[in-house]
Amino acid sequence: MDYHSSISLRTLGREQSSLLDLLEGRAAELLARRLRIPKAKNLEVSAAATRPVLILITGRLTVYASTQKGVDVFMTDLEPGEIVGESAAFGNDEFPLLVRASEESQAWAIDQRRFLSALTTRTDFSMAVMHAMCRRLCRIHQRLVDQVSLPMRDRLKTELLRMAVTEPDGALVITWMPTHEELALRIATQREAVTKELAKLARTGVLVRNGRSIRIPSLLRFVAQMVD
């Protein structure tokens, strides 16, 4: 197959961003407060809920949208320096979101009205917010491309690469592996298909499972299976 998906591998340590740097220096000025979000905590983000806008500092938040039938549809992960809740701040209540902490996380919380005021009065803040929103949007766009152009097995491998962190020895590690059902939601398939494919990858040694974590010893070998 023609493997084309663009993946930016992450490295260990907190990802810095202009938005996080700005907030570190101006938290008091923006009335931003640090919020601790326990693992598995759910937050509704909508205009009606009037929750603050969140900018992730550490950890990982997963964003879902609910259908009229009550089915949660995976939208994206939030990485450090990225933002959620800006749409609700603008009064858009047509698309409420559910935010779930995939692991214990910390975020800057800014009141919706204060957030909107800062966007109109502080150019550096508004530019940093736009950059953060674009990073998140680019990942959503890439997943859409993957869903219509890649078979299930390659969508799964691509998603594993998105979640992996590069260690000093070059190996890739996923320390917060989602459940098979959550993985299936991410790549628009069935849980049974995910379970079968992960078992196959483990048998061939392409990945090594240890409890809820996964180690990919060789990126080259992993990617080679995606272009066969």
Side-chain angles (χ1 to χ4, degrees), residues 65-137:
S66 293
T67 67
Q68 292 182 344
K69 295 183 179 180
V71 177
D72 291 339
V73 178
F74 173 81
M75 297 296 293
T76 189
D77 286 315
L78 283 191
E79 297 183 353
E82 293 181 350
I83 186 170
V84 66
E86 74 283 3
S87 180
F90 281 104
N92 181 359
D93 204 27
E94 297 178 1
F95 202 53
L97 299 174
L98 174 68
V99 178
R100 180 176 300 140
S102 304
E103 57 188 81
E104 184 170 317
S105 304
Q106 288 191 28
W108 289 111
I110 305 177
D111 176 79
Q112 290 183 2
R113 287 179 293 181
R114 188 70 181 180
F115 173 79
L116 293 177
S117 175
L119 284 181
T120 59
T121 59
R122 294 175 171 84
T123 303
D124 56 348
F125 179 74
S126 59
M127 288 298 294
V129 166
M130 284 192 288
H131 280 294
M133 291 169 59
C134 285
R135 286 199 305 273
R136 182 193 64 194
L137 187 59

